[in-house]
Amino acid sequence: MASKAQLKAAEKWAENNKEKRKIITYRSYTKKFINELADEKDLDKIIEMVKSKKQSMQKDD
């Protein structure tokens, strides 16, 4: 079990890093979905979304 100091430090980090925590959480959800729940149709849609996102990012450069 974590000490009170560790819990307080973790809470402080989470409060000061909301955007980073959000990214970490969504990345984890995405990996879990792909690895455990997605069927072939889902994976095909994800691949198309990734390709589209990469193309739009390249246009921005």
Side-chain angles (χ1 to χ4, degrees):
M1 183 162 185
S3 70
K4 289 181 183 180
Q6 287 174 317
L7 292 173
K8 187 175 179 180
E11 186 177 308
K12 183 178 177 183
W13 182 90
E15 183 64 31
N16 292 332
N17 295 282
K18 288 181 181 180
E19 190 64 26
K20 190 171 188 175
R21 190 177 82 200
K22 180 177 162 183
I23 291 168
I24 292 167
T25 300
Y26 283 131
R27 185 181 296 137
S28 176
Y29 290 158
T30 302
K31 288 178 182 180
K32 184 170 184 71
F33 177 75
I34 290 171
N35 288 324
E36 297 180 16
L37 302 171
D39 59 18
E40 189 172 352
K41 186 178 176 182
D42 292 327
L43 294 175
D44 290 340
K45 180 65 177 173
I46 291 166
I47 290 167
E48 288 304 313
M49 292 170 67
V50 169
K51 286 179 182 177
S52 177
K53 178 65 175 179
K54 286 179 80 172
Q55 286 175 351
S56 69
M57 291 173 73
Q58 289 174 349
K59 288 178 186 176
D60 293 342
D61 287 345

